[in-house]
């Protein structure tokens, strides 16, 4: 992905001129007469997303026109230039004028060049971009490379991305940056992490807890926990076939914390990083966990199973309990957890939860700044009672169907006691239909915003 940037000076780079409806008349009048006539003959009217290559006298490309929304347009997309890699002929390009946000436009260009080609030939656009003055190309490449990692992991089908393969990906990342790596399986997992074991025990692919550590132990501790359910059939509360169709992406939380970890380690932030990923497959078999089973969690809290398809919060609970034992300065968990979050906010706007007001403000600010949308929702105390069980300390899936994302967050909050700050994000991890800079398929969500927050705090 980073190869999209042309680092050497390239005088022959083809200029891309951004135009809007309000600027088109002025820009058109400055074009040479043949170029202006060519644009008019092709009906170019600066419509957002429209691209026109203007020929030179020798038949080469003299210039590219690309339409953007007006600055004041309520639906202005700062990632609109992310469509360019799929529209441009092979070559080296530069921005001739400033789009609405030059840095985000360059990032979108890099993100838009991504293609998933593991199983069939999928041509990567042969386009390169000369970064504009003042743009940190290395930082943008760092984020684009991390997004490619998350997308590749999520897009890989479950037959090739089970718990063992997810552990391999984490091990490779650890080796690349000299990080420590451990993987807990078997009896040690069953005894120390009963909820992770319960969710994964019906699969022929053994559950495990992936543990990566990096950085100076004297630096502030930041722990990332990612849901790694490599396929979710729903367990005995089995999903319908339509509900299983995208369940290869149910390890999207794990993919995104690995992408976030890659950015942190590559940038050499001054923090002590730990990454915990409970990696399981929620399958159906004679030894599967059942509704109304009760398990004692790592924290000692007994959990009644209200629904075996609410498994993500179970595996995260044990991992959060382990993370919390170290009393980190910041504890972050990401997971593809609830359909309720999608009903409330759709696929592009994940909700986040925290009781730390400063953290909430910082997350929201960086989400806006990185065009990595997030929306705060409340850890509403009155709903905590909905988790009550008549036979255990807590139920994993309250009946009633209301506020499903909030009650999931409240469930997880029960397992976080000592961390100085905690952030929970209920991501979707998928782009249902292609958008500029965001091809259809697995998506990197929340990781860029959180990375910029960590960069600000621990540069």
């Amino acid at each position: 992905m980073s190869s999209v940037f042309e680092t050497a000076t390239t005088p022959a780079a083809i200029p891309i001129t951004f135009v809007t409806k309000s600027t088109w008349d002025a820009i058109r009048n400055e074009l040479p007469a043949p170029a202006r006539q060519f644009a008019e003959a092709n009906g170019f009217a600066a419509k957002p997303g429209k691209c026109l290559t203007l020929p030179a006298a020798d038949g080469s490309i003299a210039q590219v026109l690309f339409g953007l929304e007006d600055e004041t347009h309520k639906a202005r997309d700062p990632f609109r230039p992310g469509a360019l890699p799929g529209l441009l002929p092979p070559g080296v390009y530069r921005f001739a004028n400033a789009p609405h946000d030059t840095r985000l436009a360059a990032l979108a260009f890099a993100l838009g060049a991504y293609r998933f080609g593991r199983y069939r030939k999928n041509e990567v656009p042969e386009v390169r971009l000369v970064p504009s003055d003042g743009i940190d190309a290395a930082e943008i490449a760092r984020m684009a490379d991390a997004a490619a990692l998350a997308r590749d992991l999520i897009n890989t089908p479950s037959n090739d991305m089970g718990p063992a393969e997810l552990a391999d990906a984490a091990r490779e990342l650890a080796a690349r940056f000299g990080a420590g790596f451990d993987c807990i399986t078997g009896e040690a997992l069953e005894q120390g992490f009963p909820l992770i074991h319960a969710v994964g025990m019906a699969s022929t692919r053994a559950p495990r807890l992936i543990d990566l550590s990096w950085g100076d132990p004297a630096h502030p501790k930041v722990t990332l926990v990612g849901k790694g359910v490599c396929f979710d059939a729903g367990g005995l509360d089995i999903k319908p076939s339509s509900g299983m169709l995208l369940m290869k992406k149910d390890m999207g939380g794990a993919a995104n914390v690995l992408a976030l970890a890659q950015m942190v380690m590559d940038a050499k932030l001054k923090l002590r990083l730990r990454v915990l990923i409970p990696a399981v497959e929620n399958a159906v078999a004679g030894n599967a966990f059942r509704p109304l089973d009760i398990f004692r969690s790592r924290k000692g809290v007994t959990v009644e199973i209200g629904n075996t398809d609410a498994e993500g919060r179970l595996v995260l609970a044990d991992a959060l309990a382990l993370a919390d034992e170290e009393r980190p300065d910041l504890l972050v968990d990401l997971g593809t957890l609830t359909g309720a979050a999608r009903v409330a906010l759709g696929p592009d706007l994940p909700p986040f939860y925290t009781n730390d007001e400063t953290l909430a403000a910082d997350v929201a600010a960086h989400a806006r700044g990185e065009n990595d949308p997030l929306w705060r929702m409340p850890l509403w105390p009155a709903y905590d009672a909905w988790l009550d069980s008549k036979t255990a300390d807590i139920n994993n899936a309250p009946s009633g169907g209301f506020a499903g994302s909030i009650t999931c967050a409240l469930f997880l909050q029960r397992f976080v006691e000592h961390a100085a700050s905690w952030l929970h994000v209920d991501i979707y991890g998928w782009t249902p239909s292609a958008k500029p800079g965001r091809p259809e398929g697995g998506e990197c969500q929340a990781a860029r915003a959180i990375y910029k927050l960590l960069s600000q705090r621990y540069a």
Side-chain angles (χ1 to χ4, degrees), residues 52 69 92 111 138 171 227 260 281 296 308 315 418 422 459:
L52 181 66
E69 297 89 349
V92 179
L111 293 173
R171 184 183 291 105
K227 175 186 171 184
L260 177 52
E281 180 178 24
R296 186 173 298 277
T308 64
V315 299
H418 303 297
W422 170 57

Side-chain angles (χ1 to χ4, degrees), residues 156-168 205-206 208 228 230-231 279-281:
T156 301
S158 298
N159 60 312
D160 286 331
M161 186 53 63
E165 290 81 7
L166 185 56
D168 288 342
R205 301 194 285 183
R208 64 205 65 213
C230 296
F231 190 81
V280 303
E281 180 178 24

Side-chain angles (χ1 to χ4, degrees), residues 162-290:
E165 290 81 7
L166 185 56
D168 288 342
R171 184 183 291 105
E172 290 173 10
L173 185 65
R176 176 180 166 188
F177 291 99
F181 181 84
D182 190 21
C183 196
I184 302 170
T185 59
E187 185 177 351
L189 184 78
E190 184 175 0
Q191 296 301 315
F193 304 92
L195 296 179
I196 298 173
H197 177 263
V199 172
M201 64 185 177
S203 174
T204 56
R205 301 194 285 183
R208 64 205 65 213
L209 178 63
I210 300 162
D211 190 349
L212 180 154
S213 58
W214 173 89
D216 187 339
H219 286 159
K221 294 177 182 176
V222 174
T223 301
L224 312 176
V225 180
K227 175 186 171 184
V229 178
C230 296
F231 190 81
D232 180 21
L236 293 181
D237 289 310
I238 193 167
K239 294 178 182 290
S241 58
S242 59
M244 285 192 218
L245 192 59
L246 280 181
M247 282 302 100
K248 72 174 185 178
K249 77 169 186 67
D250 214 20
M251 38 63 69
N256 275 280
V257 298
L258 289 175
L260 177 52
Q262 176 173 304
M263 287 186 274
V264 166
M265 294 187 290
D266 189 60
K268 299 180 174 62
L269 297 188
K270 294 179 180 179
L271 55 84
R272 174 61 171 175
L273 177 68
R274 190 178 193 186
V275 177
L276 296 171
I277 296 173
V280 303
E281 180 178 24
N282 188 20
V284 179
N287 63 332
F289 73 126
R290 296 164 288 262

